[in-house]
Amino acid sequence: MEGGTLGTITVGVDVGGTKIQSAAVRAKKVAGVHRLPTPLTGAKDVATAISEAVAKALADAGTPPTDLRAVGIGAPGAIDTEAGTVASSPNLPGFQAAEPVPLGAMVADALGGVPVMLDNDVRVAILGEWKRGAGRGYRNLLGMWVGTGVGGGLVLDGRLYQGQGAAGEIGHMIVKPGGRVCSDGRRGHLEAYAGRGQMEVHARRLVKEGHKTDLFDIMAKRGRTRLSSGVWAVALEKKDKMARELVDDAVEALGVGLASVQNLLALEAIVIGGGLGDRLGPAFVDRIREAMGPQLFVPDQPPALLSSEFRDLSGAVGAAVLAGG
């Protein structure tokens, strides 16, 4: 680094089930970004892709690697922030087992020893929205990200709450005992109804049973291999019956889950993001608000329901904040 000083830029990386998004942050502003698909071939390739995403974000910012101060990573699953490990992440290939994977050390090694900080992807995303985005000014809020899975992060009394390391996992709240199978193999979880991955699993099952839908034709025409948020949005615009019914199920489950959290914690605000949450936008948030209403113990004190401000950059910006950016 020039003059032996600390680097001037921090890169945050949001690791999702389908994409890896990076953002280079300088002076609290996004200076460069990059996105690439999440490898499906294991932890080593995921770590390599993260390193590539960091390098490409720096290049987009017009900044040499020598100016890199630190890297923050948000990843799904059970995170040991001190050890820099990821475990039990059903939507991330190579990280499904309970055996911790030292992702932080793997990325640090690939980047020549740059400091790397790691936390849960949604906790990191809500950190970004709380400090810089839609959650500014609130001391008690939940961030819920609806994407491949459903994750959550809590800010309580003005502090990001980690619990024993897996706090905020709203996607694994039970909303229908004995219901659909979740990505972790258990039944009735919120993610089984509102996580895009499990919505696709259910849609494929219905097609095998003879039900009709344009979802998979839309997927093929858009050159996708999975039912992306954009595919669901187009299907809804075309009034596809199966898409409407599955999104209705998701909204109902989200209303039950969020109302239960509100009844327990009396939050000031809930920020909704993630691929599906961002793509379906304010109308989706409004439907969730309506579904929550009848379930609230104190209906005249509902939380503010907010769309994420950084949208698909929330996680990457939050990861940069985590690393001091």
Side-chain angles (χ1 to χ4, degrees), residues 191-230:
E191 185 171 299
Y193 294 88
R196 200 176 58 223
Q198 292 308 110
M199 290 170 71
E200 178 173 341
V201 168
H202 193 61
R204 290 184 183 277
R205 183 180 301 117
L206 290 173
V207 168
K208 284 185 179 180
E209 293 173 359
H211 296 269
K212 303 298 183 184
T213 181
D214 289 330
L215 276 164
F216 297 100
D217 288 338
I218 296 168
M219 179 187 76
K221 288 176 182 176
R222 292 173 67 91
R224 304 286 191 243
T225 58
R226 300 174 70 175
L227 295 184
S228 66
S229 299

Side-chain angles (χ1 to χ4, degrees), residues 10-306:
T10 304
V11 176
V13 185
D14 178 25
V15 182
T18 58
K19 68 180 185 298
I20 293 173
Q21 174 73 60
S22 59
V25 173
R26 181 192 291 115
K28 299 185 178 181
K29 301 292 184 182
V30 175
V33 299
H34 189 71
R35 176 186 295 187
L36 46 77
T38 303
L40 304 178
T41 47
K44 184 177 179 181
D45 289 339
V46 170
T48 299
I50 292 171
S51 303
E52 179 185 347
V54 170
K56 293 290 180 64
L58 289 172
D60 189 49
T63 301
T66 50
D67 267 2
L68 180 60
R69 174 184 293 174
V71 171
I73 300 173
I79 309 296
D80 185 326
T81 57
E82 292 188 8
T85 61
V86 183
S88 303
S89 183
N91 296 314
L92 193 59
F95 297 81
Q96 291 96 338
E99 185 69 24
V101 177
L103 182 62
M106 293 166 74
V107 173
D109 288 346
L111 294 173
V114 171
V116 174
M117 298 186 69
L118 181 68
D119 205 339
N120 176 267
D121 57 342
V122 181
R123 275 204 301 272
V124 161
I126 193 57
L127 176 65
E129 289 290 337
W130 174 44
K131 292 292 188 180
R132 308 271 169 83
R136 288 190 301 272
Y138 293 105
R139 289 182 56 80
N140 295 282
L141 70 152
L142 167 75
M144 182 186 70
W145 261 237
V146 186
T148 304
V150 178
L154 283 165
V155 174
L156 299 177
D157 290 330
R159 297 182 64 184
L160 191 64
Y161 181 71
Q162 294 182 330
Q164 297 183 69
E169 286 289 354
I170 187 173
H172 298 294
M173 286 180 57
I174 297 171
V175 293
K176 291 191 178 182
R180 292 182 198 162
V181 176
C182 185
S183 60
D184 68 353
R186 298 179 179 90
R187 288 187 175 272
H189 291 187
L190 174 57
E191 185 171 299
Y193 294 88
R196 200 176 58 223
Q198 292 308 110
M199 290 170 71
E200 178 173 341
V201 168
H202 193 61
R204 290 184 183 277
R205 183 180 301 117
L206 290 173
V207 168
K208 284 185 179 180
E209 293 173 359
H211 296 269
K212 303 298 183 184
T213 181
D214 289 330
L215 276 164
F216 297 100
D217 288 338
I218 296 168
M219 179 187 76
K221 288 176 182 176
R222 292 173 67 91
R224 304 286 191 243
T225 58
R226 300 174 70 175
L227 295 184
S228 66
S229 299
V231 170
W232 285 99
V234 171
L236 291 174
E237 290 168 5
K238 292 179 174 291
K239 303 187 184 305
D240 182 86
K241 183 174 183 289
M242 184 185 295
R244 287 205 319 267
E245 289 177 350
L246 290 179
V247 171
D248 286 349
D249 290 346
V251 167
E252 179 185 1
L254 288 165
V256 170
L258 287 178
S260 297
V261 172
Q262 181 63 18
N263 291 342
L264 178 67
L265 297 176
L267 300 165
E268 297 170 89
I270 297 172
V271 179
I272 297 175
L276 198 61
D278 289 336
R279 187 64 176 79
L280 300 185
F284 185 60
V285 173
D286 288 344
R287 290 193 63 195
I288 296 170
R289 181 185 292 109
E290 184 177 345
M292 285 177 66
Q295 315 293 337
L296 291 175
F297 180 66
V298 186
D300 59 346
Q301 292 182 345
L305 251 63
L306 309 166

